[in-house]
């Protein structure tokens, strides 16, 4: 959902803001690379890229747990109508409430992350996963005040999310940005 994507984006960018690539990717990007564009353009790949993504995800998992976001309370949803037909007003409503999403604290990296450069920027791409997702809502649908109550639940074994991070290496104050 849009809310879940927004939450993940916000939490990952928050974690990224606290970390500089040059602090994590020592073997990939030595500190003197900040002032040497040629060095930036010839950075080799190594397993530090995977370590960097793992560290960001570990921080995000900790923040998700600390903030009580697993389970995540999903927003209530309501749609209603009212229409006057001749002398009678007809009303109806559908409402979802008590929504939840469990499993966000299982964020992890899938496969190897990819490191590349473009101009002064380093770009890291990775696939992250979430396992054992459970979601649900309670609700009702009413027409003229009468109607059924419902309950819906979903079990999703896993989901994969592609992420792309970049950072300007020639700006010593820059933090990675999630795209």
């Amino acid at each position: 959902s849009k809310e879940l994507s927004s939450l993940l984006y916000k939490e990952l960018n928050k974690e990224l803001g606290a970390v500089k690539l040059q602090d994590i990717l020592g073997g990939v990007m030595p500190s003197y690379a900040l002032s040497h564009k040629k060095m930036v353009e010839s950075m080799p790949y190594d397993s530090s890229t995977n370590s960097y993504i793992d560290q960001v995800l570990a921080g995000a998992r900790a923040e998700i747990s600390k903030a009580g976001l697993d389970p995540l309370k999903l927003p209530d949803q309501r749609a209603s109508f009212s229409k006057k037909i001749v002398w009678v007003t007809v009303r109806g409503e559908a409402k979802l409430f008590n929504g939840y999403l469990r499993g966000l604290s299982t964020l992890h990296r899938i496969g190897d992350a990819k490191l590349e450069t473009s101009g002064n920027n380093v770009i890291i791409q990775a696939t992250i996963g979430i396992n054992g997702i459970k979601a649900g809502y309670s609700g009702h649908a009413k027409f003229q005040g009468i109607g059924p109550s419902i309950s819906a639940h979903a079990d999703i074994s896993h989901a994969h999310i592609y992420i792309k991070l970049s950072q300007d290496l020639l700006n010593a104050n820059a933090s990675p940005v999630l795209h």
Side-chain angles (χ1 to χ4, degrees):
S1 81
K2 187 187 268 189
E3 289 84 10
L4 175 58
S5 294
S6 178
L7 171 72
L8 288 174
Y9 184 84
K10 177 182 161 195
E11 287 302 316
L12 287 174
N13 262 331
K14 183 173 151 186
E15 288 303 312
L16 289 168
V19 180
K20 301 285 189 265
L21 285 178
Q22 59 265 33
D23 295 337
I24 303 300
L25 302 176
V28 175
M29 185 181 63
S31 59
Y32 59 86
L34 291 174
S35 60
H36 294 83
K37 186 174 178 185
K38 258 207 183 324
M39 178 62 95
V40 170
E41 292 170 349
S42 63
M43 286 191 308
Y45 166 83
D46 77 11
S47 63
S48 296
T49 308
N50 288 338
S51 297
Y52 172 68
I53 293 296
D54 293 343
Q55 180 178 345
V56 168
L57 293 175
R61 283 191 303 270
E63 284 297 315
I64 286 167
S65 293
K66 186 171 120 182
L69 298 174
D70 196 0
L72 175 65
K73 183 181 179 332
L74 298 176
D76 292 350
Q77 302 290 322
R78 182 178 181 266
S80 62
F81 70 90
S82 178
K83 176 101 174 153
K84 188 168 185 163
I85 303 175
V86 188
W87 299 283
V88 178
T89 300
V90 179
R91 293 183 172 86
E93 173 187 70
K95 186 173 182 182
L96 296 174
F97 50 89
N98 296 332
Y100 66 89
L101 178 71
R102 288 188 182 97
L104 292 179
S105 60
T106 68
L107 282 172
H108 61 281
R109 177 179 44 82
I110 307 267
D112 285 332
K114 180 180 174 186
L115 175 84
E116 60 189 30
T117 60
S118 176
N120 296 334
N121 293 303
V122 65
I123 299 164
I124 297 177
Q125 300 172 64
T127 301
I128 60 175
I130 303 173
N131 293 335
I133 304 163
K134 296 186 182 300
Y137 265 110
S138 296
H140 67 249
K142 306 271 185 200
F143 180 73
Q144 294 297 93
I146 301 170
S149 293
I150 62 159
S151 177
H153 302 278
D155 288 323
I156 303 166
S157 64
H158 63 277
H160 295 177
I161 303 161
Y162 169 79
I163 62 171
K164 182 177 180 179
L165 315 169
S166 69
Q167 181 177 334
D168 180 348
L169 296 179
L170 299 182
N171 179 351
N173 296 319
S175 291
V177 176
L178 182 62
H179 298 279

